Amino acid sequence: MKKALIALLSSIFLVSGLCMDEAIANTEATKVSFAGKVNGDAMTFAYVDETGKHLLAFDLNPSDRPKRFTKVICSPGNVRSVKYVKYQKEGKQSNHRNAASNITQDAGAWFDVVNGKLKENESCLLNRKRCFQGKYISSL
């Protein structure tokens, strides 16, 4: 189910022009067929804290090698670099909701936004370098 959802969201991002080469985003886009593929194991979901400077990937464990995730896409055109900080265990006061108000209590991989800020409570697609592969897709 997770891979299917990631593939669907990735397709939406690709269609919106987020990862397309500038040459394809112009009038020639209808003449070129898509030749890329999406690596579902190279992506997962995360959500943003109240400050906009931290994310928690609720579906990652330490054994998933979270350091390999270096980029985050939160909306079309809003791509940021991230850095893995630590794995956080679930707190006793967790309400089991993936929300900014519960981020310090939820279990998952903690990331810092390297440059800039994101919107509070925004859901994002965390990915590793070159998760979008193909002839007409720029590497993230």
Side-chain angles (χ1 to χ4, degrees), residues 90-97 101-102 104-106:
E90 184 176 52
K92 292 180 181 180
Q93 297 178 346
S94 176
N95 60 16
H96 308 287
R97 296 184 184 207
S101 59
N102 189 51
T104 59
Q105 296 296 312
D106 206 1

Side-chain angles (χ1 to χ4, degrees), residues 34-108:
F34 177 69
K37 66 178 182 175
V38 178
N39 184 349
D41 292 336
M43 294 177 265
T44 192
F45 293 100
Y47 62 98
V48 182
D49 76 341
E50 294 169 337
T51 69
K53 294 185 179 237
H54 311 284
L55 297 117
L56 190 72
F58 53 88
D59 207 18
L60 287 180
N61 294 310
S63 62
D64 294 324
R65 299 183 346 257
K67 285 184 181 183
R68 65 191 168 116
F69 294 92
T70 59
K71 298 285 184 185
V72 67
I73 305 168
C74 293
S75 57
N78 191 7
V79 179
R80 301 270 187 236
S81 293
V82 293
K83 182 179 179 182
Y84 173 71
V85 177
K86 66 178 182 175
Y87 180 78
Q88 174 176 285
K89 293 183 179 180
E90 184 176 52
K92 292 180 181 180
Q93 297 178 346
S94 176
N95 60 16
H96 308 287
R97 296 184 184 207
N98 302 132
S101 59
N102 189 51
I103 201 166
T104 59
Q105 296 296 312
D106 206 1

